[in-house]
């Protein structure tokens, strides 16, 4: 009871720090972020991964591991009409006001919201092929964050033509963004629209322009890397035509991990910070020494946008290491299916194994699809059960994980 009282008290204090009726914003000041009051603000939070950019492994599916591949597998199992409705309810149920209220009660202060660029186009995505609902979905989170005293970082997790070249960006296996002027212009245009919509919204801390650009697999990654900073500069300049207020977050190449030699100029805007990701490293400062050194060289903040998916002990130790080195954090992810390495876990529905088995099986011809397709009624029930299980009221709180991040 005593712990719960202090968590509620902390959340109430946090709510008071979020400006709701003024045009005052968190800003970069040296290697820190500062509130409108001038107080230092340290990011502590989580990622709403999977909601607006589904990933196979968060469905316990390995091989069919990106949004468009998942959509295809589900359609092959139960038909496109059912799948369109599935995605609509998935978006309605997976993240709701209840989730944000709970997160605020734990004592965190920031949410990173990954989204797919297609949510701002008329491309086919998550059950819609026109009038996509990106602004409506994000507006909901903005309103809930305002209500419960949290800040929000918007993260374009999937950029036009793909910025990573893996399932992470729902692409075609190569970072075609950096070889397509049309895709780059669409990337910029979407950020212009987002900036125009949220320019005067102080609940939003900043724009994480591009998640995990340029995976390490490619022999020409050194050449691809040289395209990153110029694209960031063009994008920041375009956003500033609409939005003078928000922080611009710049990601390193090779999974948000490489900064030296890629970024040579950080003087073109007075409200920049860098965002890194790091998985699997020992939870000690030596494991992030390169990030600390680059942060110190630039004199700008470094923020760990993703980290985690490890034991509670590792999470607690890494959180302490980040805080000791003035690196704010949003651990990944908030929810997982049948897994305790997250704030909450979704119970695995009955017969979910047959969904995963079909999606994981090679399906390179129509005969195979017909031969291995499971019973449609059983599969539809499993998918509907998932939609019910993923609601916050039916999730299981992983208290050890929560304590590792909030104690």
């Amino acid at each position: 009871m005593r712990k719960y009282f202090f968590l509620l008290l902390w959340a109430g204090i946090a709510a008071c720090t979020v400006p709701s009726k003024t045009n005052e914003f968190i800003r970069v000041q040296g290697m820190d972020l500062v509130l409108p009051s001038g107080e230092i603000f340290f990011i502590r939070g989580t990622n709403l991964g999977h909601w607006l950019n589904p990933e196979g492994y968060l469905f316990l599916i390995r091989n069919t591991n990106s949004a468009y591949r998942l959509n295809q597998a589900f359609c092959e199992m139960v038909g496109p009409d059912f799948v369109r409705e599935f995605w609509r309810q998935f978006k309605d149920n997976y993240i709701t006001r209840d989730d944000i209220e709970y997160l605020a009660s734990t004592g965190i202060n920031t949410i990173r919201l990954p989204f797919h660029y297609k949510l701002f186009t008329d491309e086919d995505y998550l059950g819609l092929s026109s009038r996509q609902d990106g602004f409506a979905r994000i507006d909901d989170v903005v309103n809930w964050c305002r209500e419960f005293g949290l800040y929000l970082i918007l993260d374009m997790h999937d950029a036009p033509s793909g910025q990573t070249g893996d399932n992470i960006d729902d692409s075609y296996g190569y970072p075609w963004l950096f070889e397509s002027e049309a895709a780059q212009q669409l990337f910029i245009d979407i950020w212009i629209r987002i900036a125009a919509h949220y320019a005067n919204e102080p609940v939003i801390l900043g724009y994480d322009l591009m998640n995990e650009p340029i995976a390490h697999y490619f022999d020409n990654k050194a050449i691809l890397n040289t395209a990153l900073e110029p694209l960031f500069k063009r994008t920041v300049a375009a956003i500033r035509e609409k939005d003078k207020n928000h922080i611009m977050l710049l990601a390193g190449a090779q999974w948000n991990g490489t900064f030296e030699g890629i970024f040579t100029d950080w003087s073109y805007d007075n409200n920049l910070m860098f965002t890194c990701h790091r998985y699997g490293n020992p939870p000690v400062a030596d494991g992030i020494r390169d990030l600390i050194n680059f942060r110190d060289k630039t004199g700008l903040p470094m923020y760990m946008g993703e980290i985690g998916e490890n034991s509670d002990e590792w999470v607690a130790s890494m959180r302490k290491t980040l805080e000791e080195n003035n690196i704010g954090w949003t651990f990944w992810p908030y929810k997982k299916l049948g897994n305790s390495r997250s704030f909450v876990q979704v119970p695995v529905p009955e017969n979910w194994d047959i969904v995963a088995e079909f999606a994981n099986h090679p399906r390179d011809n129509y005969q195979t699809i017909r031969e291995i397709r499971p019973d449609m009624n059983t599969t539809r029930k499993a998918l509907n059960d998932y939609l019910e299980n993923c609601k916050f009221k039916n999730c299981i709180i992983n208290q050890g994980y929560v304590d590792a991040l909030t104690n």
Side-chain angles (χ1 to χ4, degrees), residues 98-137:
D98 290 345
D99 294 280
I100 306 307
E101 181 178 22
Y102 165 70
L103 283 170
S105 78
T106 68
I108 68 164
N109 59 25
T110 304
I111 288 171
R112 180 173 179 256
L113 176 54
F115 65 87
H116 199 302
Y117 86 91
K118 289 182 180 179
L119 287 163
F120 300 93
T121 70
D122 282 335
E123 298 183 52
D124 185 27
Y125 186 62
L126 295 188
L128 296 175
S129 55
S130 64
R131 298 186 298 278
Q132 287 286 354
D133 56 355
F135 282 120
R137 297 295 174 175

Side-chain angles (χ1 to χ4, degrees), residues 2-4 6-7 10 44 105-108 312 315-321 323 329 343 398-407:
R2 181 172 179 269
K3 175 185 173 185
Y4 185 65
F6 282 113
L7 287 176
W10 194 100
R44 296 180 177 90
S105 78
T106 68
I108 68 164
D312 294 345
V315 165
S317 184
M318 180 56 86
R319 184 210 71 183
K320 180 180 179 183
T321 295
E323 292 177 353
W329 47 264
F343 275 81
N398 297 319
Q399 196 58 52
Y401 180 97
V402 177
D403 290 345
L405 287 181
T406 58
N407 279 347

Side-chain angles (χ1 to χ4, degrees), residues 208-228:
D208 190 342
L209 299 179
M210 185 189 302
N211 178 72
E212 296 186 348
I214 311 166
H216 67 282
Y217 310 121
F218 307 106
D219 292 339
N220 64 336
K221 62 180 177 289
I223 296 173
L224 291 168
N225 286 351
T226 64
L228 187 56

Side-chain angles (χ1 to χ4, degrees), residues 22 36 58 62 66 137 143 167 175 208 210 230 241 320 323 327 344 374 395:
T22 72
L58 292 170
R62 300 182 310 277
S66 65
R137 297 295 174 175
N143 291 332
N167 67 296
D208 190 342
M210 185 189 302
E241 293 294 316
K320 180 180 179 183
E323 292 177 353
I327 297 177
V344 302
C395 289

Side-chain angles (χ1 to χ4, degrees), residues 351-400:
N351 293 317
W352 192 256
D353 57 318
I354 70 172
V355 175
E357 183 179 0
F358 178 87
N360 283 324
H361 196 285
R363 305 182 315 281
D364 55 356
N365 61 71
Y366 287 102
Q367 180 179 347
T368 300
I369 293 170
R370 291 190 295 271
E371 290 174 347
I372 70 169
R373 181 186 290 117
D375 177 75
M376 295 180 191
N377 289 331
T378 302
T379 306
R380 287 172 180 153
K381 184 179 186 306
L383 289 166
N384 281 330
D385 288 348
Y386 176 92
L387 294 172
E388 187 65 24
N389 288 5
C390 75
K391 295 177 181 178
F392 174 74
K393 67 180 182 180
N394 297 320
C395 289
I396 302 164
I397 294 174
N398 297 319
Q399 196 58 52

Side-chain angles (χ1 to χ4, degrees), residues 85-354:
E85 179 61 16
F86 172 85
W87 288 128
R88 186 190 67 78
Q89 292 189 48
F90 176 80
K91 287 185 285 185
D92 286 347
N93 294 359
Y94 196 80
I95 296 296
T96 68
R97 180 180 179 274
D98 290 345
D99 294 280
I100 306 307
E101 181 178 22
Y102 165 70
L103 283 170
S105 78
T106 68
I108 68 164
N109 59 25
T110 304
I111 288 171
R112 180 173 179 256
L113 176 54
F115 65 87
H116 199 302
Y117 86 91
K118 289 182 180 179
L119 287 163
F120 300 93
T121 70
D122 282 335
E123 298 183 52
D124 185 27
Y125 186 62
L126 295 188
L128 296 175
S129 55
S130 64
R131 298 186 298 278
Q132 287 286 354
D133 56 355
F135 282 120
R137 297 295 174 175
I138 294 176
D139 285 350
D140 282 343
V141 181
V142 168
N143 291 332
W144 298 329
C145 284
R146 182 184 299 109
E147 180 179 359
F148 295 111
L150 299 174
Y151 283 97
L152 185 65
I153 293 170
L154 302 184
D155 153 47
M156 189 183 287
H157 217 75
D158 313 77
S161 293
Q163 78 281 5
T164 309
D166 208 333
N167 67 296
I168 300 300
D169 62 2
D170 193 28
S171 74
Y172 300 103
Y174 184 82
W176 296 108
L177 173 68
F178 299 102
E179 298 194 3
S180 169
E181 177 56 33
Q184 291 178 31
Q185 191 58 55
L186 178 57
F187 170 78
I188 293 170
D189 289 345
I190 291 171
W191 273 118
I192 290 172
R193 290 177 57 208
I194 292 171
H197 189 81
Y198 294 114
N200 296 312
E201 179 49 73
V203 166
I204 292 177
L205 186 153
Y207 305 140
D208 190 342
L209 299 179
M210 185 189 302
N211 178 72
E212 296 186 348
I214 311 166
H216 67 282
Y217 310 121
F218 307 106
D219 292 339
N220 64 336
K221 62 180 177 289
I223 296 173
L224 291 168
N225 286 351
T226 64
L228 187 56
E229 186 173 54
L231 181 54
F232 277 153
K233 286 185 175 182
R234 287 174 58 196
T235 307
V236 170
I239 288 173
R240 289 299 183 221
E241 293 294 316
K242 302 292 184 180
D243 184 342
K244 309 291 186 185
N245 297 316
H246 288 106
I247 297 169
M248 303 290 112
L249 286 77
L250 309 181
Q254 285 78 67
W255 314 108
N256 278 41
T258 303
F259 294 85
E260 281 291 349
I262 295 176
F263 294 99
T264 61
D265 179 17
W266 38 88
S267 64
Y268 57 91
D269 190 85
N270 64 359
N271 213 15
L272 300 176
M273 65 185 288
F274 293 98
T275 173
C276 56
H277 297 176
R278 193 59 57 89
Y279 288 97
N281 274 49
V284 294
D286 284 348
I288 55 171
R289 181 59 56 194
D290 57 326
L291 306 174
I292 296 168
N293 290 343
F294 183 78
R295 186 271 313 274
D296 293 347
K297 174 182 174 180
T298 65
L300 295 175
M302 179 66 77
Y303 147 69
M304 186 69 75
E306 290 184 26
I307 195 168
E309 302 210 88
N310 216 312
S311 69
D312 294 345
E313 294 76 16
W314 186 97
V315 165
S317 184
M318 180 56 86
R319 184 210 71 183
K320 180 180 179 183
T321 295
L322 293 172
E323 292 177 353
E324 288 173 347
N325 289 278
N326 193 28
I327 297 177
W329 47 264
T330 47
F331 274 67
W332 180 278
Y334 162 55
K335 278 184 180 179
K336 297 186 81 170
L337 177 61
N339 193 303
S340 64
R341 294 183 174 188
S342 55
F343 275 81
V344 302
Q345 63 177 295
V346 178
V348 179
E350 183 181 9
N351 293 317
W352 192 256
D353 57 318
I354 70 172

